[in-house]
Amino acid sequence: MTILIKDIRIIDADQDFLGGVFIEDGKISRVFAGKFSMMHSFPPGQGADTIIDGKNKILMPGLFDPHVHFRDPGFTYKEDFETGSQAAISAGVTTVFDMPNTNPPVFSRENLEQKRQIVASKAHCNYGLFFGAGPNNLEEIKAAENVPGTKLYLNTTTGNLKMDDEKAWREIFKLGRKVVLHAEGDTFFRAVEIWQEENFPCELHLAHASLKSEIDLIRELKRNPKSSSFAKASSFVETTEDKSDDRHKKISVEVCPHHLFMTHKEREKYGAICCMKPELATQKDVDAMWAGVEDGTIDFFATDHAPHTLAEKKESDQPGKSPIYGIPGVETFLPLLFTEFVKRGYDLSKLAAMTSKIPRKIYHVQDLKGEIRAGFDADLVIIDPNFRGKISADNFFSKSKWTPFAGREILMKVEKTFINGKVVFDNGQIVGQEGREIFFVSLS
Ligand code: DOR
Ligand code: ZN
């Protein structure tokens, strides 16, 4: 089965041109520039079974959303892996990494295997499953296989996963596996201090940055010490083996659309549906997020898709009730970012990089995904950039049919999504089921 997508604007991290792609056996088999002419381009015996005309459309790599909560198992009244992953593909997201604050939380290999069993038949997209740092589960973290990283909660959020004990942080940092921090301001600064001072070998990733101070610190940490004037001066002093050389490459950060498009003012105006962790910050912080996107301090985007029922959200804002954190995000991810990139005149290749090539690299994904090149998996999205409309939750596939972004103007629509070479979403309909657990290079 060969599919040809022709006469389309092809955009990925490294290219933006008019051309076409052939898809065969789940992979991109050929990419060519220029308009396709039936007369010339089929080598004998190599026709296409399906030809898709991409005139006035854009072809991009399917997006990674490296931070979702699909709530399965345990909270499936909010979302399950089927509805969450259907929501993903309806919006061009073809790979997700799911967080461990499910019930039971993913604190052991047994929990992880159980979750693998549950989600395998429900998944409509490719996925990775995070491991959680919990009480006394160091041995389990050490032995867990094929996970994107260990999620370490240093602040309160949905579920009871907060870890206050700095000794436990150290033990986790020592393992040399990738650590993804839910940290906010002070807890992040403290974690970085420990990581730096004690020269821990792990890669550190800050989930959902929301504060200017966080971005400022990360910008500083990312500066190559070899190129700074201080390092030049001090390099005259021959030290023993310096293992800290590439530490600036071991820190990364993501930002979510809600921290790019809203401030505490929305929280005040719209109430509980704008309650999330970290909470919405100030305009100064939002500006710092965009500055971080512009200068490359922020590595990639993620949604923190955190569905809840509207009823429980609303109730949580009543006096005496505890807050319920989070908003659904996977279906507004690409529309919001694409629209803003167009409005700001940013390069769409950068959007592709920050939603596919870069998260793939940072998470050491083995599978060839996230670029439009021969040999890569055909996880792709066709976008209509001439569509004009508004965000509405009515047609969400998520169980959470609400969003604080309702009514926002959008300058695109997802037309088709391909996973592993199959069309799985087509003009508003789920038309196929593909998706499997992806592979990660082991760091320790
Ligand atoms: O607002 C949030 N909700 N932030 C998180 O980090 C977790 C999430 C959830 O699980 O509900
Ligand atoms: Zn989260």
Side-chain angles (χ1 to χ4, degrees):
M1 170 77 180
T2 305
I3 302 174
L4 163 64
I5 309 171
K6 71 179 179 86
D7 303 342
I8 197 159
R9 184 175 163 199
I10 295 174
I11 301 177
D12 75 4
D14 306 299
Q15 44 192 0
D16 182 346
F17 64 97
L18 190 83
V21 303
F22 282 90
I23 299 170
E24 255 170 288
D25 299 328
K27 305 230 177 260
I28 297 167
S29 57
R30 187 152 77 98
V31 182
F32 59 92
K35 272 185 150 299
F36 177 81
S37 150
M38 192 75 85
M39 303 300 285
H40 314 121
S41 291
F42 281 134
Q46 288 184 27
D49 305 295
T50 308
I51 299 177
I52 297 169
D53 187 359
K55 197 161 166 253
N56 300 325
K57 305 281 160 61
I58 291 174
L59 184 70
M60 278 182 33
L63 283 79
F64 279 66
D65 185 349
H67 186 155
V68 302
H69 299 265
F70 282 173
R71 309 292 192 209
D72 210 345
F75 303 105
T76 50
Y77 70 96
K78 296 176 193 270
E79 191 81 286
D80 61 41
F81 223 86
E82 180 165 25
T83 52
S85 59
Q86 288 183 337
I89 59 170
S90 75
V93 172
T94 50
T95 301
V96 298
F97 300 162
D98 192 62
M99 286 298 167
N101 59 337
T102 39
N103 192 16
V106 185
F107 283 161
S108 68
R109 280 165 296 165
E110 195 188 337
N111 298 151
L112 178 64
E113 285 318 314
Q114 188 196 358
K115 185 162 173 174
R116 282 191 168 123
Q117 296 286 323
I118 291 167
V119 308
S121 61
K122 295 186 178 181
H124 280 69
C125 66
N126 298 313
Y127 55 91
L129 303 176
F130 272 101
F131 212 76
N136 305 316
N137 74 339
L138 211 58
E139 291 306 315
E140 292 293 321
I141 296 175
K142 224 191 277 184
E145 282 181 3
N146 204 43
V147 293
T150 309
K151 181 79 182 282
L152 174 57
Y153 287 88
L154 308 186
N155 290 79
T156 303
T157 182
T158 307
N160 193 13
L161 279 70
K162 188 173 165 219
M163 303 270 285
D164 287 319
D165 179 7
E166 293 184 1
K167 218 172 111 237
W169 307 0
R170 288 187 172 86
E171 295 297 327
I172 292 160
F173 290 173
K174 210 184 277 175
L175 297 179
R177 297 198 145 203
K178 192 174 205 72
V179 176
V180 174
L181 292 175
H182 178 132
E184 303 177 20
D186 289 346
T187 51
F188 178 58
F189 307 143
R190 181 67 188 132
V192 165
E193 200 171 51
I194 290 174
W195 179 72
Q196 283 284 77
E197 279 175 13
E198 299 173 39
N199 209 12
F200 283 114
C202 66
E203 295 182 353
L204 212 55
H205 176 76
L206 178 64
H208 42 49
S210 66
L211 300 172
K212 177 176 186 299
S213 52
E214 294 165 350
I215 300 305
D216 289 346
L217 173 60
I218 292 169
R219 184 175 289 114
E220 199 53 42
L221 290 167
K222 281 187 165 191
R223 213 163 268 165
N224 183 347
K226 282 184 184 160
S227 66
S228 78
S229 52
F230 171 77
K232 265 185 202 138
S234 64
S235 68
F236 285 105
V237 185
E238 280 294 307
T239 53
T240 50
E241 195 190 358
D242 181 7
K243 289 204 182 108
S244 66
D245 261 358
D246 61 352
R247 290 187 73 69
H248 61 288
K249 292 186 198 154
K250 291 190 169 180
I251 185 104
S252 58
V253 59
E254 73 194 28
V255 66
C256 305
H258 43 268
H259 294 122
L260 286 165
F261 293 107
M262 294 193 287
T263 68
H264 60 92
K265 292 209 169 124
E266 270 80 12
R267 172 73 174 97
E268 285 145 27
K269 191 165 159 197
Y270 297 113
I273 64 163
C274 284
C275 171
M276 56 208 77
K277 283 287 269 175
E279 61 190 36
L280 295 173
T282 67
Q283 190 58 47
K284 183 188 82 185
D285 296 300
V286 168
D287 294 344
M289 295 301 131
W290 283 108
V293 168
E294 277 185 23
D295 74 3
T297 301
I298 294 180
D299 298 277
F300 57 78
F301 299 116
T303 67
D304 198 3
H305 178 80
H308 298 282
T309 69
L310 189 55
E312 64 189 353
K313 279 294 259 188
K314 283 192 170 156
E315 203 196 320
S316 72
D317 238 13
Q318 300 303 312
K321 298 278 176 190
S322 312
I324 290 190
Y325 306 115
I327 63 168
V330 80
E331 281 166 277
T332 49
F333 191 36
L334 181 57
L336 286 170
L337 289 172
F338 185 96
T339 300
E340 191 65 16
F341 267 61
V342 170
K343 284 187 178 166
R344 288 175 180 249
Y346 289 177
D347 189 352
L348 289 172
S349 278
K350 186 181 176 89
L351 177 62
M354 291 183 73
T355 52
S356 51
K357 187 175 178 181
I358 296 174
R360 170 175 176 256
K361 292 225 149 149
I362 286 182
Y363 277 112
H364 309 282
V365 172
Q366 265 181 23
D367 308 55
L368 294 176
K369 294 187 183 295
E371 292 174 58
I372 303 184
R373 287 205 275 143
F376 273 61
D377 294 346
D379 292 353
L380 299 163
V381 54
I382 296 181
I383 291 164
D384 177 0
N386 297 307
F387 176 83
R388 298 291 174 264
K390 290 198 160 81
I391 287 181
S392 158
D394 297 346
N395 42 17
F396 277 6
F397 286 87
S398 170
K399 289 186 185 178
S400 277
K401 301 209 189 299
W402 55 271
T403 169
F405 296 118
R408 288 209 184 213
E409 181 191 33
I410 42 171
L411 305 179
M412 59 81 71
K413 187 173 82 174
V414 168
E415 208 172 272
K416 287 185 185 8
T417 306
F418 297 76
I419 297 204
N420 304 333
K422 305 253 168 58
V423 181
V424 289
F425 176 79
D426 196 358
N427 281 296
Q429 307 291 326
I430 307 287
V431 295
Q433 183 174 3
E434 281 292 320
R436 54 177 174 73
E437 187 170 2
I438 60 169
F439 293 97
F440 299 92
V441 177
S442 163
L443 298 183
S444 65

